[in-house]
Amino acid sequence: MKSFFHVQDIGNLDAALEEALEVKKNPFAWKHLGIDKTIILVFFNNSLRTRLSSQKAALNLGMNPIVLNVNGDSWKLETEMGVVMDGDKSEHLREAIPVIGSFCDIIGVRSFAGLTDREKDYGEEILRQFIDYSGRPVISLESATVHPCQAFADLITIEEHKERKRPKVVMTWAPHPRALPQAVPNSFAEWMNAADVDFVITHPEGYELDPRFVGDAEVEYDQMKALEGADFVYAKNWSCPGVSLPEEYGKVLSKDMGWTVDAKHMAVTNNAQFLHCLPVRRNMIVSDEVIDSPRSLVIPEAANRVVSAQVVMKRMLESL
Ligand code: CP
């Protein structure tokens, strides 16, 4: 595996899920693969789960993980080509990336969308530069438009907890005080479309996701109707993707608390289990009673971040 970005990169999903469950059962069985190998995890943005789960996955595989917090530990990095570097950024990505590549075998990158320039974000400019200039396999640890390690962990969690062969999975937009990227819902949609589930997306008008990720999923603007009979409810906020409203790209269009997932919403489901990638704003995205209920899977879902990262790193080590 040369890069991990889209669902297609993992190949056959059934095989990937089987491998994930094997890795979960025997996390140290492939420790020999990572001996004398190094992974550098580059963070342009904050993280709790991705930072820790990626390091744990690397350690389980016998690798040495090194974390670089850009703009914290390192020089501030310029990401645009052709600029006169007379500001506070001391080094360009064009040099930094091959230098990082020369110190390691695999690279992971977290670089959020700027949410001001749709073309730039959806062109994945920073991640692309890592792929083009590092000479190393690259893992998206949530880049501008995708968060594949999260979506893979979500799918593993659904596979482990489903109570019927083909569950109904509903991804619902929920309110948040700040503008958030679309990477998590984009990847979740992409992975659910590839999985053996009935997938429905619900959000207020204006929040239409990029058609490349929505695919053939059912989109229902009536949240309660969408949730009827759901086996899994996946809540997430995202800012305006700029599909139906290009001039509103990256903006907060609604803070309608009627979309907060609470007991009234869960009551119309098929006793659904609740998922969220975390971090979550309680009583904005989801009520305390729902996230604290026995049907909430947010902690096992987060724990599966080690498993998804480990499968990806294992496959990369196997193909070095
Ligand atoms: N879900 C997730 O990616 O969490 P972090 O932002 O804390 O890494």
Side-chain angles (χ1 to χ4, degrees):
M1 188 189 284
K2 284 285 166 228
S3 64
F4 185 59
F5 196 26
H6 289 294
V7 67
Q8 295 85 348
D9 297 324
I10 203 80
N12 181 287
L13 268 190
D14 289 338
L17 282 169
E18 207 175 301
E19 190 173 333
L21 299 179
E22 193 56 40
V23 161
K24 188 164 180 170
K25 225 186 303 166
N26 298 300
F28 308 114
W30 292 271
K31 222 176 164 86
H32 57 283
L33 288 177
I35 300 297
D36 296 334
K37 297 285 189 291
T38 299
I39 183 167
I40 296 188
L41 305 163
V42 183
F43 285 86
F44 287 83
N45 310 96
N46 296 343
S47 165
L48 186 153
R49 275 143 295 274
T50 306
R51 180 185 301 270
L52 298 179
S53 62
S54 302
Q55 290 179 82
K56 176 65 176 143
L59 290 166
N60 287 354
L61 288 164
M63 267 196 290
N64 300 305
I66 299 175
V67 176
L68 179 70
N69 300 307
V70 175
N71 304 328
D73 303 342
S74 75
W75 302 109
K76 280 195 177 175
L77 296 180
E78 178 58 65
T79 58
E80 306 280 336
M81 292 306 288
V83 296
V84 177
M85 289 175 57
D86 60 354
D88 63 344
K89 292 176 178 165
S90 310
E91 179 157 18
H92 201 286
L93 267 188
R94 190 66 189 82
E95 286 77 52
I97 291 172
V99 169
I100 292 168
S102 75
F103 298 152
C104 67
D105 303 280
I106 300 174
I107 299 179
V109 184
R110 165 158 288 200
S111 59
F112 287 170
L115 297 179
T116 53
D117 181 339
R118 187 178 200 281
E119 202 176 327
K120 192 169 146 195
D121 288 343
Y122 275 72
E124 286 281 4
E125 282 190 2
I126 293 181
L127 200 74
R128 289 274 158 228
Q129 291 188 63
F130 274 89
I131 291 167
D132 291 346
Y133 303 134
S134 70
R136 300 289 177 232
V138 176
I139 304 172
S140 166
L141 300 176
E142 186 173 345
S143 48
T145 62
V146 290
H147 196 356
C149 293
Q150 180 64 54
F152 187 16
D154 298 334
L155 179 60
I156 295 166
T157 312
I158 288 170
E159 181 66 19
E160 288 178 315
H161 293 270
K162 70 183 184 187
E163 291 162 349
R164 59 172 158 151
K165 188 174 178 319
R166 191 175 164 88
K168 177 178 176 180
V169 178
V170 179
M171 178 169 74
T172 177
W173 178 94
H176 192 280
R178 296 173 51 201
L180 297 186
Q182 296 110 42
V184 169
N186 283 346
S187 280
F188 189 71
E190 187 183 55
W191 284 68
M192 287 303 111
N193 282 324
D196 189 17
V197 302
D198 288 325
F199 182 49
V200 181
I201 305 172
T202 183
H203 54 72
E205 288 191 31
Y207 280 98
E208 292 77 16
L209 293 165
D210 191 295
R212 281 170 289 181
F213 296 103
V214 174
D216 295 330
E218 182 186 338
V219 178
E220 169 59 64
Y221 292 106
D222 181 331
Q223 188 193 28
M224 291 304 264
K225 196 170 161 202
L227 291 169
E228 278 171 17
D231 298 295
F232 292 93
V233 174
Y234 190 92
K236 184 71 186 88
N237 173 268
W238 61 91
S239 60
C240 176
V243 172
S244 59
L245 302 168
E247 67 288 355
E248 302 295 330
Y249 174 67
K251 295 196 178 134
V252 174
L253 304 178
S254 168
K255 291 183 186 170
D256 182 353
M257 301 284 280
W259 283 74
T260 302
V261 177
D262 61 17
K264 169 174 89 299
H265 293 86
M266 297 303 277
V268 302
T269 69
N270 182 28
N271 191 26
Q273 300 181 83
F274 178 80
L275 295 158
H276 187 280
C277 63
L278 305 181
V280 70
R281 300 243 182 177
R282 283 172 172 251
N283 303 311
M284 285 289 305
I285 299 282
V286 58
S287 68
D288 286 338
E289 62 188 334
V290 171
I291 195 168
D292 291 333
S293 85
R295 300 297 280 172
S296 171
L297 295 176
V298 296
I299 304 304
E301 181 184 4
N304 277 335
R305 290 293 308 277
V306 175
V307 183
S308 64
Q310 196 171 331
V311 171
V312 172
M313 290 176 197
K314 171 179 171 288
R315 288 189 175 194
M316 286 184 169
L317 287 169
E318 284 166 341
S319 62
L320 280 180

